Amino acid sequence: VSVLYWRPPNESLRVVMPTGVECVVTMGTAECLPELGLMYASLRAFHPTLPVVIGTTTSALRLLEEGTGSDAKCVPAASAQAELAVDFLREHLLHDPHATLVPCLDAYGPVSRAKMEREPGVWFPTKHCDFMMEKANLLDLALQQGSSGALFADCDMLFTSALPDVPAEAVVGVSEHGIQPMDQRLFGTYNGGWLYVRGPSALFEWRRATHASRYFD
């Protein structure tokens, strides 16, 4: 992943000591539990105690607490892959003292991106924008819990090495999509599924820009 870091323009470009990401943030509904299980396992392989904040739904939490054999409603039909993911997350994630689970996605599930892009949002132009900005809310929470810098990563991403060092004075880190120019005109240059922030200023600008953005993400 190519990552670009930005400093305030009034800051000098002097050499600074790197620092690590202090919290990883993600989110996923019940339908995303297989992806979330893989992401969580890959992260813990390199960072066993790094704080994690996960936005999810009450139905996903119920599924994890009761298992795929429960009579919990509003959850996807269990597949072999989903059952393995639920069993793994139930055993490890629910007992992880460094993980915070936040049921903040009930208004969006079952998630249908095409449908959300057509529906008006409560806070932003579309419901999909509202959904995207839950990422900013969860990053805010991570900062409020004491992390000086937090990384949001979509739950369908896997970690194949330890997290990169971040320049100590970087305010935001973004990752280019690397997609075709036609797609870039729809989705923008940078990936909304991978964003590092240090402090709330970048989140303020992200929210502000979303009100007038022509991009989906």
Side-chain angles (χ1 to χ4, degrees), residues 9-203:
N10 61 338
E11 292 288 338
S12 65
L13 294 180
R14 63 186 182 274
V15 176
V16 295
M17 292 299 292
T19 184
V21 174
E22 295 185 7
C23 182
V24 169
V25 178
T26 191
M27 61 186 193
T29 60
E31 296 84 0
C32 300
L33 290 179
E35 291 91 344
L36 180 61
L38 289 172
M39 178 199 186
Y40 175 76
S42 68
L43 177 66
R44 283 294 178 246
F46 301 101
H47 300 282
T49 61
L50 187 72
V52 179
V53 173
I54 301 173
T56 188
T57 60
T58 54
S59 63
L61 286 176
R62 189 183 313 124
L63 183 60
L64 292 179
E65 291 167 354
E66 300 179 7
T68 53
S70 71
D71 59 354
K73 306 300 181 184
C74 304
V75 295
S79 65
Q81 185 182 23
E83 288 181 3
L84 285 173
V86 168
D87 289 344
F88 173 80
L89 291 170
R90 187 181 187 191
E91 180 179 355
H92 297 280
L93 178 60
L94 288 188
H95 302 286
D96 186 341
H98 307 288
T100 301
L101 295 168
V102 185
C104 60
L105 303 180
D106 287 349
Y108 309 100
V111 173
S112 168
R113 175 170 180 153
K115 183 179 179 181
M116 289 195 298
E117 287 173 353
R118 295 192 300 268
E119 294 181 1
V122 175
W123 307 106
F124 295 93
T126 67
K127 193 172 184 178
H128 179 257
C129 288
D130 283 3
F131 180 74
M132 286 291 293
M133 288 299 98
E134 295 291 351
K135 301 178 180 183
N137 296 340
L138 292 165
L139 284 166
D140 251 338
L141 176 61
L143 297 176
Q144 291 168 17
Q145 290 181 340
S147 297
S148 62
L151 170 71
F152 181 91
D154 278 343
C155 72
D156 59 357
M157 295 184 177
L158 295 177
F159 297 95
T160 58
S161 66
L163 290 166
D165 288 333
V166 179
E169 295 180 1
V171 176
V172 62
V174 293
S175 176
E176 293 182 320
H177 271 131
I179 53 180
Q180 294 295 325
M182 182 177 296
D183 294 326
Q184 186 169 302
R185 286 193 288 269
L186 289 174
F187 300 104
T189 301
Y190 302 106
N191 186 354
W194 180 272
L195 176 71
Y196 171 85
V197 297
R198 181 180 298 278
S201 59
L203 299 176

